[in-house]
Amino acid sequence: MPEEQMATPGGQPSATPAPAPPAARPLDQIDRTILRLLRTDGRASIRSVAEQVHVSRANAYARINRLLDDGVIRGFSALVDQERAGQGASAYITLKIVQNSWRTVRKQLTTLPGAAHIALVSGDFDVLLLVHTKDNRELRELVLTRIQSIPEVLSTRTLLVFEETDLGVEEG
């Protein structure tokens, strides 16, 4: 990571992440402020972060590296306008799955085109999946052909996204 610029590409967690160990030490207010600043602008320079939290550049650099080493910061990524990227249809898909099949289902869902977020949840369904597709026809094909053909998937429900807002992120 360059000292002055935080423009680290990628940063996506692996498809089968290992359980994250707890942070090596508790976060203080400066760490929390650094996280807020980087969540707002992942490309913020070390100099800018240091000035805003009132610490030296060396201190800011060391703190960010510790947050990375401890797994608190998992990576950096771009905020994408899905519609402008040719993905005009977005949906949350809820899935009921066979008990104890989470790892198998997650592995298959990570290979789906347009899968953006997968979560094991509690409640009336087991999995919440966010997908982005070119259009509704592609979305229908994804749900009816790809997802519902997974043997461990018992049922699905598709919730179309009409508009979305990412919180804590400064666009532009």
Side-chain angles (χ1 to χ4, degrees):
M1 168 172 34
E3 181 177 60
E4 287 299 319
Q5 193 65 31
M6 296 296 301
T8 306
Q12 295 298 320
S14 67
T16 55
R25 61 182 176 158
L27 302 181
D28 63 16
Q29 189 56 46
I30 292 173
D31 292 330
R32 290 187 217 303
T33 304
I34 289 171
L35 291 174
R36 182 181 50 77
L37 292 170
L38 292 177
R39 210 176 296 118
T40 300
D41 181 5
R43 293 176 48 168
S45 68
I46 296 290
R47 178 181 305 180
S48 171
V49 170
E51 288 173 358
Q52 292 181 65
V53 297
H54 309 292
V55 298
S56 69
R57 280 192 288 171
N59 187 326
Y61 188 76
R63 283 174 177 267
I64 291 169
N65 279 336
R66 180 180 48 79
L67 292 167
L68 284 162
D69 291 343
D70 288 349
V72 175
I73 296 175
R74 298 182 311 189
F76 300 88
S77 62
L79 181 62
V80 177
D81 182 316
Q82 295 298 332
E83 195 166 353
R84 289 184 181 201
Q87 303 295 303
S90 295
Y92 285 97
I93 303 168
T94 66
L95 294 83
K96 287 187 182 181
I97 61 174
V98 172
Q99 187 173 0
N100 297 323
S101 66
W102 162 241
R103 286 175 183 81
T104 303
V105 171
R106 178 182 59 200
K107 186 176 181 180
Q108 293 177 72
L109 295 176
T110 60
T111 67
L112 294 176
H117 183 85
I118 303 166
L120 177 65
V121 297
S122 65
D124 293 337
F125 49 89
D126 305 303
V127 178
L128 182 63
L129 171 66
L130 173 62
V131 297
H132 304 290
T133 61
K134 179 179 150 188
D135 54 28
N136 284 343
R137 177 175 285 140
E138 193 174 286
L139 175 62
R140 181 188 59 175
E141 183 70 19
L142 182 71
V143 173
L144 297 180
T145 303
R146 300 286 301 269
I147 296 173
Q148 290 184 357
S149 70
I150 299 171
E152 297 84 1
V153 172
L154 301 173
S155 67
T156 64
R157 176 173 287 162
T158 303
L159 308 164
L160 293 177
V161 174
F162 296 128
E163 185 176 314
E164 58 187 323
T165 302
D166 290 310
L167 303 177
V169 178
E170 185 177 303
E171 294 186 43

PDB file of all heavy atoms in Angstrom, residues 79-106:
ATOM      1  N   LEU A  79     -17.447   1.752  -5.497  1.00  0.00           N
ATOM      2  CA  LEU A  79     -18.896   1.834  -5.423  1.00  0.00           C
ATOM      3  C   LEU A  79     -19.405   1.935  -6.863  1.00  0.00           C
ATOM      4  O   LEU A  79     -19.106   2.899  -7.563  1.00  0.00           O
ATOM      5  CB  LEU A  79     -19.313   3.057  -4.603  1.00  0.00           C
ATOM      6  CG  LEU A  79     -20.798   3.273  -4.404  1.00  0.00           C
ATOM      7  CD1 LEU A  79     -21.404   2.088  -3.638  1.00  0.00           C
ATOM      8  CD2 LEU A  79     -21.031   4.557  -3.634  1.00  0.00           C
ATOM      9  N   VAL A  80     -20.140   0.925  -7.308  1.00  0.00           N
ATOM     10  CA  VAL A  80     -20.540   0.823  -8.704  1.00  0.00           C
ATOM     11  C   VAL A  80     -22.007   1.192  -8.871  1.00  0.00           C
ATOM     12  O   VAL A  80     -22.858   0.723  -8.113  1.00  0.00           O
ATOM     13  CB  VAL A  80     -20.306  -0.614  -9.223  1.00  0.00           C
ATOM     14  CG1 VAL A  80     -20.793  -0.777 -10.661  1.00  0.00           C
ATOM     15  CG2 VAL A  80     -18.837  -0.988  -9.107  1.00  0.00           C
ATOM     16  N   ASP A  81     -22.299   2.026  -9.849  1.00  0.00           N
ATOM     17  CA  ASP A  81     -23.682   2.294 -10.236  1.00  0.00           C
ATOM     18  C   ASP A  81     -24.076   1.146 -11.152  1.00  0.00           C
ATOM     19  O   ASP A  81     -23.641   1.084 -12.316  1.00  0.00           O
ATOM     20  CB  ASP A  81     -23.784   3.637 -10.962  1.00  0.00           C
ATOM     21  CG  ASP A  81     -25.210   3.985 -11.354  1.00  0.00           C
ATOM     22  OD1 ASP A  81     -25.932   3.104 -11.860  1.00  0.00           O
ATOM     23  OD2 ASP A  81     -25.589   5.151 -11.170  1.00  0.00           O
ATOM     24  N   GLN A  82     -24.858   0.198 -10.631  1.00  0.00           N
ATOM     25  CA  GLN A  82     -25.178  -1.020 -11.365  1.00  0.00           C
ATOM     26  C   GLN A  82     -25.900  -0.742 -12.677  1.00  0.00           C
ATOM     27  O   GLN A  82     -25.642  -1.410 -13.683  1.00  0.00           O
ATOM     28  CB  GLN A  82     -26.010  -1.965 -10.477  1.00  0.00           C
ATOM     29  CG  GLN A  82     -25.264  -2.477  -9.269  1.00  0.00           C
ATOM     30  CD  GLN A  82     -24.051  -3.306  -9.623  1.00  0.00           C
ATOM     31  OE1 GLN A  82     -23.985  -3.948 -10.669  1.00  0.00           O
ATOM     32  NE2 GLN A  82     -23.060  -3.286  -8.748  1.00  0.00           N
ATOM     33  N   GLU A  83     -26.791   0.224 -12.675  1.00  0.00           N
ATOM     34  CA  GLU A  83     -27.536   0.525 -13.896  1.00  0.00           C
ATOM     35  C   GLU A  83     -26.606   1.036 -14.996  1.00  0.00           C
ATOM     36  O   GLU A  83     -26.675   0.595 -16.136  1.00  0.00           O
ATOM     37  CB  GLU A  83     -28.644   1.542 -13.601  1.00  0.00           C
ATOM     38  CG  GLU A  83     -29.650   1.622 -14.711  1.00  0.00           C
ATOM     39  CD  GLU A  83     -30.916   2.360 -14.296  1.00  0.00           C
ATOM     40  OE1 GLU A  83     -31.075   2.703 -13.116  1.00  0.00           O
ATOM     41  OE2 GLU A  83     -31.741   2.574 -15.187  1.00  0.00           O
ATOM     42  N   ARG A  84     -25.706   1.952 -14.643  1.00  0.00           N
ATOM     43  CA  ARG A  84     -24.758   2.476 -15.631  1.00  0.00           C
ATOM     44  C   ARG A  84     -23.765   1.405 -16.079  1.00  0.00           C
ATOM     45  O   ARG A  84     -23.191   1.506 -17.161  1.00  0.00           O
ATOM     46  CB  ARG A  84     -24.009   3.679 -15.073  1.00  0.00           C
ATOM     47  CG  ARG A  84     -24.883   4.895 -14.949  1.00  0.00           C
ATOM     48  CD  ARG A  84     -24.104   6.084 -14.482  1.00  0.00           C
ATOM     49  NE  ARG A  84     -24.985   7.222 -14.354  1.00  0.00           N
ATOM     50  CZ  ARG A  84     -24.566   8.465 -14.363  1.00  0.00           C
ATOM     51  NH1 ARG A  84     -23.290   8.733 -14.481  1.00  0.00           N
ATOM     52  NH2 ARG A  84     -25.424   9.448 -14.239  1.00  0.00           N
ATOM     53  N   ALA A  85     -23.573   0.385 -15.252  1.00  0.00           N
ATOM     54  CA  ALA A  85     -22.675  -0.725 -15.596  1.00  0.00           C
ATOM     55  C   ALA A  85     -23.394  -1.808 -16.394  1.00  0.00           C
ATOM     56  O   ALA A  85     -22.852  -2.886 -16.612  1.00  0.00           O
ATOM     57  CB  ALA A  85     -22.067  -1.318 -14.323  1.00  0.00           C
ATOM     58  N   GLY A  86     -24.622  -1.520 -16.817  1.00  0.00           N
ATOM     59  CA  GLY A  86     -25.365  -2.475 -17.641  1.00  0.00           C
ATOM     60  C   GLY A  86     -26.127  -3.513 -16.848  1.00  0.00           C
ATOM     61  O   GLY A  86     -26.574  -4.510 -17.407  1.00  0.00           O
ATOM     62  N   GLN A  87     -26.269  -3.300 -15.563  1.00  0.00           N
ATOM     63  CA  GLN A  87     -27.004  -4.232 -14.702  1.00  0.00           C
ATOM     64  C   GLN A  87     -28.265  -3.526 -14.206  1.00  0.00           C
ATOM     65  O   GLN A  87     -28.347  -3.097 -13.063  1.00  0.00           O
ATOM     66  CB  GLN A  87     -26.130  -4.680 -13.523  1.00  0.00           C
ATOM     67  CG  GLN A  87     -24.828  -5.331 -13.934  1.00  0.00           C
ATOM     68  CD  GLN A  87     -25.040  -6.639 -14.674  1.00  0.00           C
ATOM     69  OE1 GLN A  87     -25.668  -7.554 -14.169  1.00  0.00           O
ATOM     70  NE2 GLN A  87     -24.540  -6.719 -15.890  1.00  0.00           N
ATOM     71  N   GLY A  88     -29.267  -3.406 -15.069  1.00  0.00           N
ATOM     72  CA  GLY A  88     -30.455  -2.618 -14.788  1.00  0.00           C
ATOM     73  C   GLY A  88     -31.469  -3.242 -13.853  1.00  0.00           C
ATOM     74  O   GLY A  88     -32.384  -2.569 -13.407  1.00  0.00           O
ATOM     75  N   ALA A  89     -31.335  -4.525 -13.553  1.00  0.00           N
ATOM     76  CA  ALA A  89     -32.284  -5.186 -12.649  1.00  0.00           C
ATOM     77  C   ALA A  89     -31.523  -5.705 -11.431  1.00  0.00           C
ATOM     78  O   ALA A  89     -30.527  -6.403 -11.559  1.00  0.00           O
ATOM     79  CB  ALA A  89     -32.985  -6.342 -13.356  1.00  0.00           C
ATOM     80  N   SER A  90     -32.007  -5.339 -10.259  1.00  0.00           N
ATOM     81  CA  SER A  90     -31.433  -5.834  -9.011  1.00  0.00           C
ATOM     82  C   SER A  90     -32.543  -6.444  -8.184  1.00  0.00           C
ATOM     83  O   SER A  90     -33.688  -5.994  -8.241  1.00  0.00           O
ATOM     84  CB  SER A  90     -30.779  -4.693  -8.215  1.00  0.00           C
ATOM     85  OG  SER A  90     -29.678  -4.164  -8.906  1.00  0.00           O
ATOM     86  N   ALA A  91     -32.198  -7.460  -7.418  1.00  0.00           N
ATOM     87  CA  ALA A  91     -33.202  -8.121  -6.584  1.00  0.00           C
ATOM     88  C   ALA A  91     -32.533  -8.766  -5.381  1.00  0.00           C
ATOM     89  O   ALA A  91     -31.380  -9.191  -5.441  1.00  0.00           O
ATOM     90  CB  ALA A  91     -33.952  -9.185  -7.383  1.00  0.00           C
ATOM     91  N   TYR A  92     -33.305  -8.818  -4.302  1.00  0.00           N
ATOM     92  CA  TYR A  92     -32.948  -9.644  -3.159  1.00  0.00           C
ATOM     93  C   TYR A  92     -33.742 -10.924  -3.333  1.00  0.00           C
ATOM     94  O   TYR A  92     -34.952 -10.883  -3.590  1.00  0.00           O
ATOM     95  CB  TYR A  92     -33.317  -8.974  -1.839  1.00  0.00           C
ATOM     96  CG  TYR A  92     -32.380  -7.852  -1.470  1.00  0.00           C
ATOM     97  CD1 TYR A  92     -32.691  -6.532  -1.753  1.00  0.00           C
ATOM     98  CD2 TYR A  92     -31.169  -8.136  -0.833  1.00  0.00           C
ATOM     99  CE1 TYR A  92     -31.825  -5.508  -1.419  1.00  0.00           C
ATOM    100  CE2 TYR A  92     -30.297  -7.113  -0.489  1.00  0.00           C
ATOM    101  CZ  TYR A  92     -30.629  -5.803  -0.782  1.00  0.00           C
ATOM    102  OH  TYR A  92     -29.766  -4.791  -0.454  1.00  0.00           O
ATOM    103  N   ILE A  93     -33.069 -12.038  -3.215  1.00  0.00           N
ATOM    104  CA  ILE A  93     -33.735 -13.330  -3.341  1.00  0.00           C
ATOM    105  C   ILE A  93     -33.593 -14.044  -2.009  1.00  0.00           C
ATOM    106  O   ILE A  93     -32.482 -14.176  -1.481  1.00  0.00           O
ATOM    107  CB  ILE A  93     -33.113 -14.168  -4.479  1.00  0.00           C
ATOM    108  CG1 ILE A  93     -33.183 -13.377  -5.790  1.00  0.00           C
ATOM    109  CG2 ILE A  93     -33.825 -15.516  -4.601  1.00  0.00           C
ATOM    110  CD1 ILE A  93     -32.352 -13.968  -6.897  1.00  0.00           C
ATOM    111  N   THR A  94     -34.727 -14.440  -1.447  1.00  0.00           N
ATOM    112  CA  THR A  94     -34.695 -15.211  -0.205  1.00  0.00           C
ATOM    113  C   THR A  94     -34.782 -16.684  -0.569  1.00  0.00           C
ATOM    114  O   THR A  94     -35.507 -17.058  -1.499  1.00  0.00           O
ATOM    115  CB  THR A  94     -35.833 -14.821   0.748  1.00  0.00           C
ATOM    116  OG1 THR A  94     -37.091 -15.176   0.165  1.00  0.00           O
ATOM    117  CG2 THR A  94     -35.815 -13.329   1.056  1.00  0.00           C
ATOM    118  N   LEU A  95     -34.048 -17.508   0.151  1.00  0.00           N
ATOM    119  CA  LEU A  95     -34.035 -18.938  -0.118  1.00  0.00           C
ATOM    120  C   LEU A  95     -34.286 -19.709   1.169  1.00  0.00           C
ATOM    121  O   LEU A  95     -33.741 -19.350   2.214  1.00  0.00           O
ATOM    122  CB  LEU A  95     -32.672 -19.384  -0.664  1.00  0.00           C
ATOM    123  CG  LEU A  95     -32.218 -18.884  -2.017  1.00  0.00           C
ATOM    124  CD1 LEU A  95     -31.591 -17.520  -1.903  1.00  0.00           C
ATOM    125  CD2 LEU A  95     -31.213 -19.842  -2.593  1.00  0.00           C
ATOM    126  N   LYS A  96     -35.112 -20.724   1.070  1.00  0.00           N
ATOM    127  CA  LYS A  96     -35.219 -21.730   2.127  1.00  0.00           C
ATOM    128  C   LYS A  96     -34.392 -22.898   1.633  1.00  0.00           C
ATOM    129  O   LYS A  96     -34.538 -23.326   0.478  1.00  0.00           O
ATOM    130  CB  LYS A  96     -36.668 -22.154   2.350  1.00  0.00           C
ATOM    131  CG  LYS A  96     -37.491 -21.101   3.055  1.00  0.00           C
ATOM    132  CD  LYS A  96     -38.865 -21.626   3.399  1.00  0.00           C
ATOM    133  CE  LYS A  96     -39.672 -20.511   4.056  1.00  0.00           C
ATOM    134  NZ  LYS A  96     -41.006 -20.954   4.430  1.00  0.00           N
ATOM    135  N   ILE A  97     -33.512 -23.409   2.507  1.00  0.00           N
ATOM    136  CA  ILE A  97     -32.618 -24.471   2.086  1.00  0.00           C
ATOM    137  C   ILE A  97     -32.710 -25.667   3.038  1.00  0.00           C
ATOM    138  O   ILE A  97     -33.223 -25.546   4.151  1.00  0.00           O
ATOM    139  CB  ILE A  97     -31.157 -23.988   1.994  1.00  0.00           C
ATOM    140  CG1 ILE A  97     -30.636 -23.503   3.352  1.00  0.00           C
ATOM    141  CG2 ILE A  97     -31.011 -22.908   0.932  1.00  0.00           C
ATOM    142  CD1 ILE A  97     -29.144 -23.146   3.381  1.00  0.00           C
ATOM    143  N   VAL A  98     -32.230 -26.799   2.574  1.00  0.00           N
ATOM    144  CA  VAL A  98     -32.173 -28.001   3.382  1.00  0.00           C
ATOM    145  C   VAL A  98     -31.293 -27.719   4.602  1.00  0.00           C
ATOM    146  O   VAL A  98     -30.233 -27.094   4.474  1.00  0.00           O
ATOM    147  CB  VAL A  98     -31.595 -29.180   2.563  1.00  0.00           C
ATOM    148  CG1 VAL A  98     -31.340 -30.395   3.428  1.00  0.00           C
ATOM    149  CG2 VAL A  98     -32.502 -29.512   1.389  1.00  0.00           C
ATOM    150  N   GLN A  99     -31.733 -28.175   5.756  1.00  0.00           N
ATOM    151  CA  GLN A  99     -30.986 -27.956   6.990  1.00  0.00           C
ATOM    152  C   GLN A  99     -29.556 -28.485   6.848  1.00  0.00           C
ATOM    153  O   GLN A  99     -29.329 -29.536   6.270  1.00  0.00           O
ATOM    154  CB  GLN A  99     -31.692 -28.650   8.156  1.00  0.00           C
ATOM    155  CG  GLN A  99     -31.083 -28.324   9.496  1.00  0.00           C
ATOM    156  CD  GLN A  99     -31.916 -28.907  10.636  1.00  0.00           C
ATOM    157  OE1 GLN A  99     -32.920 -29.544  10.423  1.00  0.00           O
ATOM    158  NE2 GLN A  99     -31.480 -28.660  11.851  1.00  0.00           N
ATOM    159  N   ASN A 100     -28.612 -27.723   7.361  1.00  0.00           N
ATOM    160  CA  ASN A 100     -27.184 -28.062   7.357  1.00  0.00           C
ATOM    161  C   ASN A 100     -26.551 -28.087   5.965  1.00  0.00           C
ATOM    162  O   ASN A 100     -25.526 -28.720   5.771  1.00  0.00           O
ATOM    163  CB  ASN A 100     -26.927 -29.398   8.060  1.00  0.00           C
ATOM    164  CG  ASN A 100     -27.294 -29.354   9.519  1.00  0.00           C
ATOM    165  OD1 ASN A 100     -27.087 -28.340  10.183  1.00  0.00           O
ATOM    166  ND2 ASN A 100     -27.857 -30.438  10.011  1.00  0.00           N
ATOM    167  N   SER A 101     -27.148 -27.405   4.984  1.00  0.00           N
ATOM    168  CA  SER A 101     -26.567 -27.383   3.635  1.00  0.00           C
ATOM    169  C   SER A 101     -25.963 -26.015   3.289  1.00  0.00           C
ATOM    170  O   SER A 101     -25.617 -25.769   2.140  1.00  0.00           O
ATOM    171  CB  SER A 101     -27.629 -27.762   2.599  1.00  0.00           C
ATOM    172  OG  SER A 101     -28.654 -26.774   2.553  1.00  0.00           O
ATOM    173  N   TRP A 102     -25.816 -25.133   4.276  1.00  0.00           N
ATOM    174  CA  TRP A 102     -25.363 -23.765   4.040  1.00  0.00           C
ATOM    175  C   TRP A 102     -24.064 -23.721   3.253  1.00  0.00           C
ATOM    176  O   TRP A 102     -23.958 -22.998   2.269  1.00  0.00           O
ATOM    177  CB  TRP A 102     -25.220 -23.019   5.370  1.00  0.00           C
ATOM    178  CG  TRP A 102     -24.388 -21.777   5.309  1.00  0.00           C
ATOM    179  CD1 TRP A 102     -23.239 -21.536   6.002  1.00  0.00           C
ATOM    180  CD2 TRP A 102     -24.629 -20.590   4.529  1.00  0.00           C
ATOM    181  NE1 TRP A 102     -22.749 -20.290   5.713  1.00  0.00           N
ATOM    182  CE2 TRP A 102     -23.585 -19.689   4.802  1.00  0.00           C
ATOM    183  CE3 TRP A 102     -25.603 -20.217   3.619  1.00  0.00           C
ATOM    184  CZ2 TRP A 102     -23.486 -18.437   4.215  1.00  0.00           C
ATOM    185  CZ3 TRP A 102     -25.513 -18.953   3.025  1.00  0.00           C
ATOM    186  CH2 TRP A 102     -24.466 -18.081   3.335  1.00  0.00           C
ATOM    187  N   ARG A 103     -23.062 -24.471   3.650  1.00  0.00           N
ATOM    188  CA  ARG A 103     -21.756 -24.393   2.977  1.00  0.00           C
ATOM    189  C   ARG A 103     -21.855 -24.826   1.514  1.00  0.00           C
ATOM    190  O   ARG A 103     -21.271 -24.209   0.627  1.00  0.00           O
ATOM    191  CB  ARG A 103     -20.719 -25.219   3.730  1.00  0.00           C
ATOM    192  CG  ARG A 103     -20.275 -24.549   5.009  1.00  0.00           C
ATOM    193  CD  ARG A 103     -19.335 -25.433   5.820  1.00  0.00           C
ATOM    194  NE  ARG A 103     -18.962 -24.814   7.070  1.00  0.00           N
ATOM    195  CZ  ARG A 103     -19.703 -24.804   8.170  1.00  0.00           C
ATOM    196  NH1 ARG A 103     -20.886 -25.385   8.159  1.00  0.00           N
ATOM    197  NH2 ARG A 103     -19.288 -24.214   9.263  1.00  0.00           N
ATOM    198  N   THR A 104     -22.608 -25.872   1.250  1.00  0.00           N
ATOM    199  CA  THR A 104     -22.789 -26.354  -0.118  1.00  0.00           C
ATOM    200  C   THR A 104     -23.530 -25.327  -0.963  1.00  0.00           C
ATOM    201  O   THR A 104     -23.131 -25.018  -2.088  1.00  0.00           O
ATOM    202  CB  THR A 104     -23.585 -27.680  -0.113  1.00  0.00           C
ATOM    203  OG1 THR A 104     -22.883 -28.611   0.705  1.00  0.00           O
ATOM    204  CG2 THR A 104     -23.770 -28.233  -1.499  1.00  0.00           C
ATOM    205  N   VAL A 105     -24.604 -24.769  -0.407  1.00  0.00           N
ATOM    206  CA  VAL A 105     -25.396 -23.779  -1.135  1.00  0.00           C
ATOM    207  C   VAL A 105     -24.567 -22.514  -1.367  1.00  0.00           C
ATOM    208  O   VAL A 105     -24.545 -21.972  -2.475  1.00  0.00           O
ATOM    209  CB  VAL A 105     -26.713 -23.457  -0.391  1.00  0.00           C
ATOM    210  CG1 VAL A 105     -27.433 -22.284  -1.027  1.00  0.00           C
ATOM    211  CG2 VAL A 105     -27.608 -24.693  -0.349  1.00  0.00           C
ATOM    212  N   ARG A 106     -23.866 -22.043  -0.336  1.00  0.00           N
ATOM    213  CA  ARG A 106     -23.043 -20.836  -0.489  1.00  0.00           C
ATOM    214  C   ARG A 106     -22.026 -21.013  -1.607  1.00  0.00           C
ATOM    215  O   ARG A 106     -21.842 -20.120  -2.429  1.00  0.00           O
ATOM    216  CB  ARG A 106     -22.331 -20.513   0.826  1.00  0.00           C
ATOM    217  CG  ARG A 106     -21.410 -19.292   0.700  1.00  0.00           C
ATOM    218  CD  ARG A 106     -20.659 -18.974   1.958  1.00  0.00           C
ATOM    219  NE  ARG A 106     -19.851 -20.110   2.353  1.00  0.00           N
ATOM    220  CZ  ARG A 106     -19.377 -20.301   3.566  1.00  0.00           C
ATOM    221  NH1 ARG A 106     -19.633 -19.430   4.523  1.00  0.00           N
ATOM    222  NH2 ARG A 106     -18.642 -21.340   3.850  1.00  0.00           N
TER     223      ARG A 106
END
